[in-house]
Amino acid sequence: MQISVETTSAIGRKMTVQIPEEEIQSEVATRLKSLAQRVKVAGFRPGKVPAHIVRQRFGKQVREEVIYDLIGSSFNAALKEHALRPAGEPKIIPQETQEGFAFEAQFEVYPEIELVSLDTLEIRKPVCQITEADLENMLERLREQKKTWRAVERGSATGDRITLTFEAFQGDQPIAEGKVEHFQIELGAGQMIPGFEEKLLGSKPGDHLEFELTFPEDYHAENLAGKTVRFEVDVEQVEEFELPQIDAEFVKGYGIESGDVEEFRREVLANMERQLKSALKEEIKTRVFAALSERHSIPVPEALLKQEIQRMLAPFAKALKQEPKLLNQLPLDGIKESARKRVSLSLLLAEIVKVNQFKPDPDRVRQAIEELAENYEEPEKVVRWYYAHPEQLAQIENLVLEDQVVDWILTQAKVTEEPVAFGELMNKQQRRTGA
């Protein structure tokens, strides 16, 4: 067997393998001999079928099977001989020759990664303290969650809720089936296209409004993107909100059975501190990974890229199956670029783990599982469940290992602290998680 390997790109390889005809014929003969012992042919007793009949009837099929198996075994042997680690399945191009059989295998390998010296990395580490103003802002948000509405007869203002019935037209043709009735909008919340809520400011119950607006160029419905539409709106009701006082009744609604307002404030602050700990951890990790990725240019194998794209599209699979046209509305270029960055980072972290021989810290794994289990009624059962299911346990171990890598990088890099406001940090966290 002759093997040659050609480098076609940083991670691209082309392997040519030639298998002598004698090797093929030898294996074919062995298999036909074995087949003759068990094949059934009319007119012959089992095991007594002449060899030339067995070859005549089954020779072509057996040769194809032999070649298929030899492709697999010779390809794997060649990978081992040349110390190649393929990323994904190869593209096999078979070639019959006078000397036997040959095939060309085109594939990509995992990239060789040369890690930069981490002491050259510069990382701004966010630090944050919760202020009294942050606590008051959070309490105000909790009040808003319990706000009530009261009908008014005055003209509407920002923050009011309007109930309306409307219809939209392009020319004289409605753009939807019938009117949208008893629809509620909070003015200033940005529920509608730009300009719609502004047109409602000052309107009163019983008002009839007509106005034109142009839909954004990037509007999700292509038939409306960039188009001018006429709206006819009937205002049914205007309501203003009322915020409750933070008193015993209010705090009981948040689980403080004693009705003690100070206990409630302490609970809110403790929850904010937990949120802050999580947000800081995520922001630090994001910055560390960004600095790391910026210093390494890693070619990404196409097979790994496709796998990551499929994983990212998985949440949309059901919707896409029901409505394939939705695929055109997804930001595919952005998804592909995001997938490329994720794969590149994953390869980079794997190399760091391998070079430094990192292993998941069992104590940190246990702690991570116990923190997850706290959200359930019977934490002990949850902990036992994780340790009884290796796949789920491996997911936690990988997350812990990732945290260990981040901690280690912070000890190697040039780190400067950067004060960040609580509200800014939490807004970043919400944007990151899509909440």
Side-chain angles (χ1 to χ4, degrees):
M1 183 171 62
Q2 295 181 345
I3 302 169
S4 64
V5 178
E6 177 184 345
T7 298
T8 58
S9 69
I11 55 175
R13 299 293 185 271
K14 183 171 73 173
M15 178 191 296
T16 302
V17 179
Q18 295 183 340
I19 304 172
E21 182 64 24
E22 311 88 74
E23 185 175 342
I24 297 172
Q25 289 298 334
S26 174
E27 181 62 22
V28 168
T30 299
R31 295 194 184 190
L32 287 175
K33 184 177 181 180
S34 175
L35 185 62
Q37 302 302 313
R38 47 193 169 82
V39 72
K40 294 181 180 180
V41 176
F44 297 94
R45 288 181 297 164
K48 299 297 182 179
V49 183
H52 71 280
I53 293 180
V54 175
R55 178 175 289 275
Q56 182 182 33
R57 290 200 176 188
F58 303 101
K60 182 179 179 181
Q61 177 186 335
V62 170
R63 180 183 174 86
E64 289 174 353
E65 293 174 355
V66 166
I67 288 176
Y68 179 84
D69 291 343
L70 285 174
I71 288 175
S73 60
S74 59
F75 178 70
N76 290 330
L79 291 177
K80 185 175 181 180
E81 180 181 341
H82 290 265
L84 296 173
R85 195 159 65 105
E89 294 296 322
K91 178 182 179 182
I92 302 294
I93 304 173
Q95 301 168 346
E96 288 280 1
T97 67
Q98 292 182 347
E99 294 79 19
F101 178 84
F103 68 90
E104 180 180 288
Q106 299 174 3
F107 58 100
E108 289 181 319
V109 296
Y110 281 87
E112 294 184 7
I113 301 174
E114 184 175 349
L115 298 173
V116 302
S117 177
L118 296 182
D119 59 11
T120 63
L121 289 185
E122 296 183 0
I123 298 171
R124 292 175 294 109
K125 180 180 179 181
V127 293
C128 179
Q129 294 292 329
I130 298 174
T131 66
E132 186 66 23
D134 294 326
L135 176 57
E136 293 301 326
N137 287 337
M138 181 61 70
L139 293 173
E140 193 67 15
R141 288 177 59 185
L142 295 176
R143 291 179 68 201
E144 290 178 0
Q145 291 177 8
K146 299 289 186 179
K147 66 185 177 183
T148 56
W149 297 95
R150 181 182 64 186
V152 295
E153 294 301 321
R154 60 168 172 77
S156 62
T158 299
D160 288 346
R161 183 170 73 179
I162 293 186
T163 303
L164 49 84
T165 291
F166 72 92
E167 194 167 11
F169 300 85
Q170 277 186 296
D172 295 327
Q173 297 298 317
I175 63 174
E177 295 181 5
K179 295 180 179 180
V180 178
E181 297 184 323
H182 316 309
F183 188 71
Q184 291 185 328
I185 298 175
E186 287 189 38
L187 297 184
Q191 293 172 251
M192 306 295 285
I193 65 171
F196 190 95
E197 293 172 23
E198 287 80 353
K199 294 289 186 181
L200 301 177
L201 290 171
S203 62
K204 299 177 182 178
D207 284 354
H208 176 81
L209 308 175
E210 292 190 20
F211 50 84
E212 289 187 344
L213 291 174
T214 301
F215 278 73
E217 293 290 344
D218 59 353
Y219 193 67
H220 62 84
E222 293 182 3
N223 62 315
L224 294 176
K227 299 295 192 310
T228 298
V229 172
R230 177 172 58 87
F231 290 91
E232 293 186 8
V233 179
D234 290 308
V235 179
E236 299 172 8
Q237 183 174 250
V238 176
E239 299 170 283
E240 64 181 10
F241 65 84
E242 292 182 333
L243 295 179
Q245 295 298 315
I246 300 181
D247 53 19
E249 182 180 355
F250 178 86
V251 303
K252 284 181 180 180
Y254 282 96
I256 306 299
E257 296 299 331
S258 67
D260 188 323
V261 173
E262 287 305 313
E263 182 184 352
F264 173 68
R265 290 174 66 92
R266 289 193 297 271
E267 285 291 330
V268 172
L269 179 59
N271 187 56
M272 291 173 67
E273 288 171 343
R274 286 191 291 270
Q275 292 178 338
L276 175 59
K277 180 181 177 181
S278 175
L280 278 174
K281 177 182 175 181
E282 195 61 34
E283 180 65 16
I284 291 170
K285 181 184 292 187
T286 298
R287 295 188 181 191
V288 167
F289 288 169
L292 197 62
S293 297
E294 188 178 341
R295 296 297 305 277
H296 295 84
S297 179
I298 301 174
V300 173
E302 196 67 23
L304 301 186
L305 180 61
K306 288 180 179 178
Q307 289 174 10
E308 183 61 22
I309 291 174
Q310 289 174 353
R311 193 189 69 80
M312 292 175 67
L313 290 177
F316 308 101
K318 185 176 180 180
L320 289 172
K321 187 176 181 180
Q322 296 174 343
E323 188 58 58
K325 291 182 179 179
L326 291 176
L327 186 63
N328 298 327
Q329 299 176 20
L330 294 175
L332 296 181
D333 289 342
I335 290 174
K336 184 174 182 179
E337 183 57 29
S338 179
R340 188 178 299 279
K341 289 180 179 179
R342 290 189 186 191
V343 175
S344 176
L345 178 61
S346 177
L347 293 171
L348 186 52
L349 294 178
E351 184 68 14
I352 291 175
V353 168
K354 184 181 76 172
V355 169
N356 294 278
Q357 298 182 335
F358 286 131
K359 302 290 182 184
D361 183 333
D363 292 337
R364 293 181 65 164
V365 171
R366 179 80 184 193
Q367 181 182 353
I369 293 174
E370 289 177 349
E371 288 176 358
L372 283 173
E374 288 176 359
N375 299 315
Y376 297 86
E377 291 184 0
E378 298 181 272
E380 300 83 1
K381 284 188 176 180
V382 176
V383 172
R384 290 197 298 271
W385 182 85
Y386 269 101
Y387 281 100
H389 294 79
E391 289 186 4
Q392 281 69 33
L393 178 61
Q395 292 179 12
I396 302 298
E397 289 175 336
N398 288 336
L399 291 174
V400 168
L401 191 57
E402 195 174 85
D403 291 341
Q404 290 176 222
V405 170
V406 170
D407 293 344
W408 177 74
I409 291 174
L410 288 173
T411 66
Q412 307 295 311
K414 297 176 182 177
V415 179
T416 56
E417 292 188 345
E418 178 185 68
V420 180
F422 177 79
E424 178 186 347
L425 188 63
M426 298 312 299
N427 286 337
K428 271 190 175 183
Q429 178 79 346
Q430 288 180 349
R431 289 194 298 271
R432 185 179 293 120
T433 59

